[in-house]
Amino acid sequence: MNPDSENFDSLRQLLALKRHEVPPPGYFNRLPRDIMARIKAGDTGDELGANPSWFQRFLSVFDLKPVFAGAFGTAVCAFLVSGVISSEHTPAFAADSSTPVDPLANFPSGMTDSKEFVSASNSAPIISLFDNQPSLQTTPVVDRQFYYPSGN
Amino acid sequence: MREATLTMTESISGKPGDAVNRAPAAQADPAAIQESELVQRARKGDLGAYDQLIQRYQERIYATIYHMTSNHEDANDLTQEAFIKGYQALKSFKGGSSFYTWVYRIAVNKTINFLKQRKNRSQMSLNDIDFNAEHDPDLVALISDKNPRREAGLTELQEKLNEGMQKLSEPHRLVVTLHDVQGLSHEEIAKIMGCNIGTVRSRLFYARQQLQGFLADYLK
């Protein structure tokens, strides 16, 4: 396959037209001055056509093939949905059955025998992040002693 | 205008293969020796020497970028940045190739990166056609034939040609520009693009086929 041996004569004649496209008059007199001025000003020449960052290359993939953008969006949605579902099936406070923990172990002895001992929370344990709606469970009323100044 | 036109036309009107014939002789050419001296001086911070290098190659670099972008403003910015980048990177220039090939490669890489970034907002800003075009033998033959090209006129032909060029991929457009417009040899193009000659030939063939298809109404 030799491109020069093929019949592209008409095309090459037409392409000759491009050799006659010229910039505005005096352009090549100004160009070196502009370049030297930018070099003296400390310009690095990295504004245009610099190597794109990894993020720009990542976005350019979507730019070239929109199907990738759709696939990426679907994958993100699937990931979120699977996270929500798995969080609903996982107890928030999973206890290790092999080593049961005594919830009263850290309290001083005697205190646990007291009738005044009150559990830290009367509400139902939260099963998941999305299950913490107010329950209708009633909170037991504890006898409270009100202290009044003596004489009353 | 005329000065700029003639300089640019002279610098890019070489036929394919001319550059190959020039290359071996360039070793003994005083101009080539002067180039290495200019590069050495520029590496030491002599801005006057670099200015001379710019003046020597600005037209070819600009023309290549312009034919790649079909936009004068973009070509102006990219030409400036290619030469600025060349000056910044001059210390890393080993002299394995000519300065011309080296700076050409910087310009081409910058242009291709730029074109990838602007992908969806291409807008043509074409230069005027110089009045020598009417006397160009190729164009005289082209326009004198009785076909759609005759009615089209040079300006419309120019627009269609640039539209066709913009439809090519960057590597194919670059090969057509360097070979069929700039007149560089396959070997020189291979050095600039960093590929082998076979790749250059196949890209050129494919690009011409594509272009011929796009411009079928304006070709015989």
Side-chain angles (χ1 to χ4, degrees):
Chain A
M1 180 174 57
N2 184 2
D4 292 330
S5 65
E6 299 291 328
N7 185 18
F8 291 116
D9 289 343
S10 297
L11 179 65
R12 291 173 70 171
Q13 282 180 334
L14 188 56
L15 282 166
L17 183 60
K18 286 204 66 67
R19 294 182 198 138
H20 294 280
E21 293 180 21
V22 290
Y27 171 72
F28 288 119
N29 295 328
R30 293 190 300 270
L31 183 60
R33 283 202 299 269
D34 293 344
I35 295 170
M36 298 314 288
R38 286 181 65 179
I39 289 174
K40 286 174 184 170
D43 202 328
T44 56
D46 281 333
E47 287 177 23
L48 294 171
N51 283 329
S53 64
W54 68 268
F55 188 65
Q56 286 173 320
R57 284 198 294 270
F58 178 70
L59 290 180
S60 69
V61 171
F62 295 153
D63 197 27
L64 288 173
K65 297 189 176 177
V67 69
F68 285 164
F72 183 73
T74 306
V76 170
C77 287
F79 180 74
L80 284 173
V81 169
S82 65
V84 168
I85 292 171
S86 65
S87 71
E88 285 181 351
H89 291 287
T90 306
F93 304 104
D96 188 354
S97 58
S98 62
T99 55
V101 177
D102 182 4
L104 305 178
N106 292 330
F107 288 91
S109 61
M111 187 175 177
T112 54
D113 298 334
S114 170
K115 291 178 182 177
E116 295 175 354
F117 177 75
V118 180
S119 174
S121 171
N122 288 328
S123 62
I126 298 171
I127 293 187
S128 76
L129 289 173
F130 302 95
D131 197 26
N132 58 350
Q133 295 167 352
S135 68
L136 296 176
Q137 184 180 357
T138 55
T139 305
V141 177
V142 178
D143 289 338
R144 294 182 179 177
Q145 292 180 344
F146 296 95
Y147 294 95
Y148 297 99
S150 62
N152 289 332
Chain B
M1 167 83 176
R2 181 166 179 76
E3 183 190 355
T5 303
L6 286 175
T7 321
M8 184 171 174
T9 310
E10 281 165 11
S11 65
I12 59 177
S13 61
K15 299 290 181 199
D18 281 1
V20 179
N21 299 331
R22 282 198 307 270
Q27 291 174 350
D29 187 359
I33 296 168
Q34 198 181 357
E35 178 190 291
S36 63
E37 285 176 8
L38 289 172
V39 170
Q40 287 300 321
R41 282 167 51 196
R43 288 179 73 167
K44 292 173 184 169
D46 184 346
L47 284 174
Y50 196 67
D51 187 44
Q52 287 185 52
L53 287 169
I54 294 171
Q55 289 184 34
R56 189 175 288 191
Y57 300 120
Q58 61 175 344
E59 289 148 28
R60 274 178 276 183
I61 298 289
Y62 168 84
T64 300
I65 298 174
Y66 168 75
H67 295 314
M68 287 292 289
T69 57
S70 293
N71 186 301
H72 167 70
E73 288 77 23
D74 291 341
N76 175 43
D77 291 342
L78 286 164
T79 305
Q80 290 191 23
E81 297 211 349
F83 277 113
I84 293 169
K85 194 72 187 172
Y87 183 75
Q88 305 290 339
L90 208 52
K91 285 188 170 59
S92 67
F93 175 58
K94 307 290 183 193
S97 61
S98 68
F99 173 79
Y100 162 65
T101 307
W102 182 74
V103 80
Y104 229 118
R105 209 176 294 154
I106 293 174
V108 163
N109 287 336
K110 265 193 169 293
T111 306
I112 288 176
N113 284 336
F114 170 78
L115 289 171
K116 282 177 183 168
Q117 287 170 20
R118 79 156 197 191
K119 206 77 182 178
N120 296 325
R121 51 183 184 87
S122 60
Q123 191 175 5
M124 293 199 299
S125 167
L126 301 179
N127 287 332
D128 293 335
I129 298 171
D130 71 57
F131 45 82
N132 289 325
E134 293 173 7
H135 308 295
D136 188 310
D138 285 336
L139 294 174
V140 168
L142 195 76
I143 299 171
S144 61
D145 293 336
K146 288 195 172 183
N147 56 35
R149 288 169 293 179
R150 184 186 176 94
E151 289 80 31
L154 286 180
T155 307
E156 189 183 335
L157 275 179
Q158 181 196 17
E159 285 181 10
K160 293 293 176 190
L161 180 55
N162 278 284
E163 282 175 15
M165 290 283 281
Q166 291 302 309
K167 287 178 181 173
L168 297 177
S169 71
E170 285 92 11
H172 291 101
R173 200 185 316 154
L174 181 61
V175 171
V176 169
T177 297
L178 294 178
H179 189 270
D180 287 343
V181 184
Q182 304 274 65
L184 267 63
S185 68
H186 296 150
E187 289 82 0
E188 281 187 312
I189 297 170
K191 280 183 189 171
I192 289 166
M193 295 184 74
C195 60
N196 59 43
I197 295 173
T199 306
V200 172
R201 286 180 193 276
S202 64
R203 280 180 181 168
L204 186 59
F205 181 81
Y206 181 78
R208 284 172 173 173
Q209 268 193 331
Q210 292 280 304
L211 212 46
Q212 196 152 274
F214 293 142
L215 300 167
D217 290 344
Y218 297 87
L219 299 170
K220 281 180 185 175

